[in-house]
Amino acid sequence: MNALEIKNLNVTIGETPILRDFSLTIPRGEVHALMGPNGTGKSTLAKVLAGHEDYTVQSGEILLDGESILGKEADEISHAGLFLAFQYPLEIPGVSIANFIRAALQARLPEGEEINAVQYYKNLYAKMDALQMDRKFTARSLNEGFSGGEKKRCEILQMSMLDPKYAVMDETDSGLDIDALRVVAEGVNLMRGPERGFLVITHYQRLLNYIVPDKVHIMYDGHIVQTGGKELAIELEEKGYEWVSRELATA
Ligand code: ADP
Ligand code: MG
């Protein structure tokens, strides 16, 4: 099946269960939004998908187009076609954006094969033009001294160059200003298409004013308690997260 499938995932940190029987399927071509109150396990899900080592998967499955990615290293998962955009991107002083992305692409090639530099820059500049990024940007150190919007733009550029089958964006909770929100939304909208699936994690409905999702899932206490269309996000905004804990959290 051409989908990112998460089946009955149970995840703990130390002794504490965080994801509880979490299931979600994102077919290619769809954009799904995952919303939920703070502390409900949204970022944990993103990190587990990326192969983060702090978490213990007790049971369940994660399949990418039918192949298990559970237990794989982060770079293998990326290679398999999953891109994770994090809430707080790394800063890497001394490494330019152009070289960072080039290294990531080089790492995917078979031994002995070199990236064609001319082709690489042609592709990079075409992607930057599409994202309306200044070319001078590529020479700067990764995320060092970047504004929120610039970090997001840089992340979207990485995503666009890596051309993943599935992208998971954890934008939750914090200080994304309107500029950064727009950058994320434009990037997602540009890359949306029948060959790619997106999971957009967000605490606030406002991001979904710019990215219209095919489905909206509400997460509470480690699993999804309600699924609907884009109107569910608006209902959630109107009723507030109180509604989730009062009426939806039955399990
Ligand atoms: P969300 O992104 O939905 O706000 P998180 O996935 O960040 O939720 O957190 C889910 C729960 O797991 C919270 O109770 C949080 O305190 C706990 N948690 C997350 N990461 C860690 C960690 N590294 N060590 C201990 N507890 C953690
Ligand atoms: Mg979070």
Side-chain angles (χ1 to χ4, degrees), residues 63-140:
L63 304 175
L64 197 154
D65 294 347
E67 299 258 339
S68 176
I69 56 166
L70 206 52
K72 291 196 174 179
E73 302 282 331
D75 60 336
E76 292 177 281
I77 293 171
S78 158
H79 200 159
L82 187 67
F83 180 86
L84 264 293
F86 287 107
Q87 213 169 325
Y88 305 107
L90 278 178
E91 295 194 11
I92 313 184
V95 176
S96 74
I97 295 166
N99 283 337
F100 179 78
I101 297 176
R102 188 169 163 173
L105 289 171
Q106 178 69 52
R108 294 181 172 193
L109 293 179
E111 283 263 348
E113 218 172 287
E114 278 287 321
I115 280 194
N116 178 320
V118 175
Q119 202 57 47
Y120 169 72
Y121 276 98
K122 205 174 149 193
N123 191 15
L124 183 69
Y125 290 145
K127 296 271 158 74
M128 292 181 77
D129 289 348
L131 294 167
Q132 295 171 25
M133 286 174 76
D134 190 320
R135 292 187 181 186
K136 276 187 273 180
F137 206 72
T138 53
R140 290 180 56 182

Side-chain angles (χ1 to χ4, degrees), residues 157-242:
L157 179 65
Q158 288 171 46
M159 171 165 82
S160 157
M161 288 296 287
L162 290 172
D163 196 22
K165 297 179 182 122
Y166 302 94
V168 176
M169 341 260 318
D170 188 1
E171 308 301 340
T172 345
D173 311 331
S174 70
L176 274 195
D177 56 23
I178 205 77
D179 174 42
L181 274 187
R182 285 216 179 101
V183 168
V184 171
E186 279 164 21
V188 169
N189 290 333
L190 266 174
M191 290 184 67
R192 244 175 135 145
E195 290 306 314
R196 204 179 335 262
F198 283 94
L199 179 63
V200 178
I201 300 173
T202 178
H203 184 79
Y204 301 107
Q205 190 273 335
R206 58 182 188 161
L207 180 62
L208 305 179
N209 290 331
Y210 303 100
I211 302 171
V212 180
D214 297 295
K215 283 196 177 149
V216 173
H217 308 278
I218 299 177
M219 184 170 177
Y220 185 75
D221 202 12
H223 56 226
I224 288 169
V225 293
Q226 179 104 319
T227 292
K230 59 180 194 290
E231 67 290 341
L232 182 58
I234 294 161
E235 188 178 3
L236 179 61
E237 174 145 283
E238 279 165 6
K239 294 185 174 173
Y241 279 113
E242 290 266 291

Side-chain angles (χ1 to χ4, degrees), residues 87 89 91 137 140-155 175-177 179-180 183:
Q87 213 169 325
E91 295 194 11
F137 206 72
R140 290 180 56 182
S141 286
L142 190 69
N143 291 326
E144 203 182 13
F146 283 22
S147 72
E150 285 173 338
K151 281 184 185 172
K152 285 292 144 190
R153 216 175 276 284
C154 178
E155 200 171 47
L176 274 195
D177 56 23
D179 174 42
V183 168

